[in-house]
């Protein structure tokens, strides 16, 4: 079975540019999560969708970050404009249903903003 | 307040020996789940093992077992017969299940495990 798919795997961009990260959750999973991982702050939840609806976006750093889930099989995380401090690994994860179910992570996108 | 505590930033273990990675948690929710993830140097997050708060027995998955002590709010990961490939960061995580659609997972800071040949 295909796991969570993320693209691109690596992204290098210049400050001020728009960056779009993509995620395809595991088929049948209805919860989707975007995380950011840095050495300083560890793993942080940015936003959580349930049934394509954003439930908790309190972790989104600021208005430069936006996320969408137009359908059950696709989500995007956009940063516009990007800044060097946005450099991190961004993970997408999905899980089945509500409650205490296991999240499965994608391989991550390593973002470098110069 | 810190909900997940991993007090061991770094651990070393001899190959073929067993090792215990500590995790304590804090919640007032009677229904919750505890997870361990492995992150090797390649960066991916790999799910290892899960323990539900109502599970009567400690979870086991191959060489991984979870020493769940509910009264002490601890969920330590035990890796038996360590292998060189076990060298990685290990994250303890908790998901509080309130029976609604809101099920946020909180991760601990991680423990770096190095297996010595």
């Amino acid at each position: 079975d295909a796991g969570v798919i993320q693209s691109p795997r690596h992204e290098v961009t210049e400050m001020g540019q728009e960056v779009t990260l993509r995620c395809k959750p595991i088929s049948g999973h209805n919860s989707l999560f975007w995380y950011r991982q840095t050495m300083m702050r560890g793993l942080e939840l940015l936003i959580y969708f349930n049934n394509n609806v954003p439930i908790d976006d309190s972790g989104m750093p600021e208005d430069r970050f936006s996320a969408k889930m137009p359908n059950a099989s696709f989500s995007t995380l956009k940063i516009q404009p990007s800044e060097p401090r946005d450099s991190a690994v961004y993970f997408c994860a999905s899980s089945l249903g509500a409650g205490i179910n296991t999240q499965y992570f994608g391989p991550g996108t390593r973002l470098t903003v110069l | 307040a810190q909900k997940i505590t991993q007090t061991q930033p770094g651990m070393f273990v001899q190959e073929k020996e067993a090792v215990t990675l500590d995790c304590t948690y804090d919640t007032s929710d009677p229904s919750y789940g505890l997870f361990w993830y492995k992150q090797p140097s390649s960066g991916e997050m790999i799910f290892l093992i899960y323990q539900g708060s109502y599970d009567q027995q400690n979870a086991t998955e191959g060489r991984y077992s979870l020493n769940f002590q509910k009264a002490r709010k601890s969920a330590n990961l035990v890796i038996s017969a360590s292998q060189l490939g076990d060298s990685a960061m290990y994250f303890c995580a908790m998901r509080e299940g309130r029976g609604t659609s809101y099920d946020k997972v909180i991760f601990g800071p991680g423990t770096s495990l190095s297996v010595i040949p």
Side-chain angles (χ1 to χ4, degrees), chain B residues 22-42:
Chain B
D22 294 342
C23 173
T24 57
Y25 58 93
D26 182 28
T27 181
S28 57
D29 196 320
S31 176
Y32 54 90
L34 296 157
F35 307 82
W36 278 91
Y37 287 86
K38 172 184 177 182
Q39 187 175 40
S41 58
S42 53

Side-chain angles (χ1 to χ4, degrees), chain B residues 13-15 84 115-117:
Chain B
V13 64
Q14 201 76 36
E15 192 179 6
L84 296 179
V115 180
I116 304 167

Side-chain angles (χ1 to χ4, degrees), chain B:
Chain B
Q2 189 84 324
K3 285 212 165 187
I4 299 286
T5 303
Q6 294 179 256
T7 58
Q8 308 150 312
M11 290 278 287
F12 291 88
V13 64
Q14 201 76 36
E15 192 179 6
K16 300 181 184 177
E17 297 292 314
V19 63
T20 298
L21 306 184
D22 294 342
C23 173
T24 57
Y25 58 93
D26 182 28
T27 181
S28 57
D29 196 320
S31 176
Y32 54 90
L34 296 157
F35 307 82
W36 278 91
Y37 287 86
K38 172 184 177 182
Q39 187 175 40
S41 58
S42 53
E44 70 269 35
M45 292 285 283
I46 303 168
F47 165 70
L48 294 178
I49 195 167
Y50 165 79
Q51 179 84 44
S53 60
Y54 294 120
D55 292 345
Q56 295 297 311
Q57 293 187 333
N58 288 344
T60 60
E61 286 289 346
R63 294 186 300 110
Y64 304 108
S65 61
L66 204 153
N67 184 1
F68 181 46
Q69 299 185 46
K70 195 170 183 177
R72 297 180 61 184
K73 293 188 176 179
S74 75
N76 299 338
L77 177 70
V78 180
I79 305 174
S80 62
S82 297
Q83 301 173 356
L84 296 179
D86 294 334
S87 294
M89 282 290 289
Y90 289 82
F91 292 94
C92 178
M94 177 177 66
R95 188 169 190 169
E96 293 169 314
R98 302 187 180 94
T100 68
S101 61
Y102 184 72
D103 42 5
K104 185 173 178 177
V105 175
I106 301 165
F107 284 81
T111 294
S112 176
L113 177 66
S114 297
V115 180
I116 304 167

Side-chain angles (χ1 to χ4, degrees), chain A residues 54-105:
Chain A
I55 302 298
D56 181 2
D57 64 355
S58 59
M60 295 286 264
E62 49 200 272
D63 291 345
R64 297 185 298 106
F65 285 69
S66 63
K68 293 183 180 179
M69 192 165 186
N71 57 61
S73 59
F74 184 65
S75 176
T76 59
L77 178 67
K78 185 177 293 186
I79 308 172
Q80 165 64 16
S82 58
E83 297 182 3
R85 59 193 169 117
D86 301 330
S87 297
V89 179
Y90 291 81
F91 287 102
C92 176
S94 71
S95 70
L96 177 63
I100 44 179
N101 294 307
T102 303
Q103 292 183 6
Y104 293 91
F105 281 72

Side-chain angles (χ1 to χ4, degrees), chain A residues 4-89:
Chain A
V4 176
I5 299 171
Q6 290 187 248
S7 64
R9 294 293 307 277
H10 302 273
E11 177 82 23
V12 180
T13 190
E14 293 188 345
M15 183 174 63
Q17 296 297 306
E18 177 179 296
V19 175
T20 299
L21 311 181
R22 297 173 176 79
C23 175
K24 177 179 170 55
I26 292 172
S27 178
H29 283 190
N30 62 347
S31 294
L32 184 139
F33 307 79
W34 282 102
Y35 290 89
R36 178 173 68 177
Q37 186 179 36
T38 61
M39 288 294 292
M40 292 297 295
R41 301 175 67 89
L43 200 61
E44 304 173 277
L45 177 67
L46 299 177
I47 188 168
Y48 155 57
F49 291 87
N50 185 255
N51 292 325
N52 311 340
V53 176
I55 302 298
D56 181 2
D57 64 355
S58 59
M60 295 286 264
E62 49 200 272
D63 291 345
R64 297 185 298 106
F65 285 69
S66 63
K68 293 183 180 179
M69 192 165 186
N71 57 61
S73 59
F74 184 65
S75 176
T76 59
L77 178 67
K78 185 177 293 186
I79 308 172
Q80 165 64 16
S82 58
E83 297 182 3
R85 59 193 169 117
D86 301 330
S87 297
V89 179

